[in-house]
């Protein structure tokens, strides 16, 4: 993709191009790795002892951003489910529970 085509795209199209399937996978992998390393460093060193609530809030925001990006990548938040066309109406038969009890007694 050349640079002029990138500037002619809308912001939404640029966002979709930036987070293509491969780029999204790399972003999620690197983000999850950095989050895991940060949690490990903070739990094993004394860096986690100074202002721990602030660090938890920052790491929580990073984790939520990764979850939102994951939801975007799996199309959980933008696409509505497709409804299959039904050519024939669905038929439902209602039966009484006493009929089931009688059948069970006969089979035993």
């Amino acid at each position: 993709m050349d640079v002029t085509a990138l500037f002619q795209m809308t912001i939404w199209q640029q966002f979709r191009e930036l987070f293509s399937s491969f780029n999204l996978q790399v972003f999620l992998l690197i983000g999850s790795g950095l989050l895991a390393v940060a949690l490990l460093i903070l739990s094993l060193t004394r860096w986690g002892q100074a202002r721990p609530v602030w660090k938890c809030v920052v790491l929580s925001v990073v984790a939520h951003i990764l979850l939102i990006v994951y939801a975007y990548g799996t199309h959980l938040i933008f696409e509505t489910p497709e409804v299959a066309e039904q050519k024939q109406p669905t038929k439902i038969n209602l039966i009484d529970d006493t009929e089931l009890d009688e059948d069970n007694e006969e089979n035993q």
Side-chain angles (χ1 to χ4, degrees), residues 84-93:
E85 292 184 26
Q86 293 183 352
K87 299 187 189 241
Q88 297 176 353
T90 303
K91 295 180 182 179
I92 300 175
N93 293 328

Side-chain angles (χ1 to χ4, degrees), residues 2-22:
D2 64 16
V3 177
T4 57
L6 188 63
F7 285 115
Q8 292 173 352
M9 298 169 113
T10 64
I11 292 174
W12 181 247
Q13 290 171 335
Q14 290 176 2
F15 181 76
R16 291 188 77 156
E17 184 68 29
L18 177 65
F19 285 112
S20 65
S21 180
F22 179 73

Side-chain angles (χ1 to χ4, degrees), residues 45-93:
T45 64
R46 55 186 183 138
W47 285 355
Q49 305 304 319
R51 297 170 41 175
V53 174
W54 181 80
K55 290 175 186 156
C56 285
V57 168
V58 170
L59 291 175
S60 175
V61 168
V62 170
H64 280 85
I65 288 172
L66 288 173
L67 287 172
I68 290 169
V69 170
Y70 177 73
Y72 170 78
T74 56
H75 304 289
L76 288 176
I77 53 178
F78 292 114
E79 293 183 6
T80 57
E82 295 180 18
V83 178
E85 292 184 26
Q86 293 183 352
K87 299 187 189 241
Q88 297 176 353
T90 303
K91 295 180 182 179
I92 300 175
N93 293 328

Side-chain angles (χ1 to χ4, degrees), residues 99-108:
E99 293 176 18
L100 289 176
D101 292 337
E102 292 172 2
D103 289 340
N104 285 336
E105 291 174 0
E106 290 175 4
N107 291 334
Q108 292 179 0

